[in-house]
Amino acid sequence: QLRAAGAVPERVLDDSAAALLATASGGVPRALNRAAATAFELAHAAGTRFVDTEAVVGALEQLEIEVPDDGTA
């Protein structure tokens, strides 16, 4: 979806953040999309255009999706 919107994923989403989104969502597209959208909103609210694991953890917590024990994938 990022590429379709004209973005370069590597410039807006950290590799570890992407892996965490995939792991925490269990690969369920709806959960993945909601968590990713929320992470982008949180990153934007923080004044950055880059989504890192901190934004993803915040999104997962906000959506009440379990964060893996170590907070990484």
Side-chain angles (χ1 to χ4, degrees):
Q1 287 181 341
L2 291 173
R3 284 189 201 336
V8 177
E10 296 78 18
R11 291 189 181 170
V12 295
L13 185 64
D14 182 287
D15 286 342
S16 59
L20 179 55
L21 282 168
T23 299
S25 69
V28 177
R30 184 175 300 230
L32 177 61
N33 288 339
R34 287 184 65 217
T38 303
F40 276 100
E41 290 171 7
L42 291 174
H44 177 74
T48 182
R49 294 177 183 238
F50 190 76
V51 174
D52 59 9
T53 54
E54 183 178 345
V56 172
V57 168
L60 295 173
E61 290 173 347
Q62 186 174 324
L63 296 170
E64 299 180 356
I65 297 174
E66 185 175 342
V67 179
D69 290 337
D70 61 359
T72 62

